[in-house]
């Protein structure tokens, strides 16, 4: 996700680490406090990270502060994956409830 120069590494514990591929340095590690982080995606503006875990909610964190900003609810099974459209306005999730949901992102609202 993001600008194409970033790599996200998910921990099955509770963290997501963002690496800069151009120089191999760690940009940030977000301690989510979530059980068994499964996947993560970085918005194109490199400001927010979406995180899935073993619960049924999608969580958005601020990359700079590491604080959770929003929780998206709607699935009835464990979330396995999240992907963000390149324009950053929409993202999709896939879950154990055999559904894919498309969400709208409205920064600042």
């Amino acid at each position: 996700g993001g600008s194409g120069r970033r790599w996200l590494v998910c921990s099955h514990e509770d963290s997501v680490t963002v690496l800069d591929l151009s120089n191999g340095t760690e940009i940030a590690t977000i301690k989510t406090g979530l059980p068994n982080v499964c996947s993560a995606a970085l918005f194109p503006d490199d400001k927010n990270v979406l995180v899935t875990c073993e619960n049924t909610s999608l969580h958005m964190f601020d990359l700079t502060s590491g604080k959770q900003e929003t929780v998206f609810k709607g699935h009835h099974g464990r979330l396995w994956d999240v992907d963000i459209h390149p324009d950053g306005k929409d993202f999709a999730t896939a879950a154990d409830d055999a559904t894919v949901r498309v969400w709208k992102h409205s920064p600042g609202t």
Side-chain angles (χ1 to χ4, degrees), residues 1 11 21-23 36 44 47 52-53 57 60 63 74 76 93 95 99 103 109:
S11 163
L21 291 180
S22 66
N23 58 22
N36 297 318
K47 291 182 180 178
T52 68
C53 66
S57 300
M60 184 166 63
L63 184 61
H76 300 287
T93 51
T99 63
W103 309 81
T109 59

Side-chain angles (χ1 to χ4, degrees), residues 14-94:
D14 73 344
S15 66
V16 175
T17 300
V18 183
L19 303 174
D20 184 325
L21 291 180
S22 66
N23 58 22
T25 60
E26 181 179 311
I27 295 169
T29 294
I30 299 170
K31 293 286 190 181
T32 68
L34 300 171
N36 297 318
V37 171
C38 297
S39 68
L42 183 63
F43 277 95
D45 63 6
D46 291 339
K47 291 182 180 178
N48 297 100
V49 176
L50 291 172
V51 178
T52 68
C53 66
E54 72 178 17
N55 68 28
T56 61
S57 300
L58 177 68
H59 306 265
M60 184 166 63
F61 291 84
D62 178 272
L63 184 61
T64 303
S65 70
K67 293 185 179 179
Q68 183 171 281
E69 291 189 338
T70 309
V71 177
F72 300 90
K73 297 183 179 190
H75 281 288
H76 300 287
R78 180 181 180 161
L79 272 78
W80 286 105
D81 201 12
V82 60
D83 199 11
I84 300 170
H85 189 276
D87 69 10
K89 294 179 182 175
D90 300 304
F91 50 93
T93 51

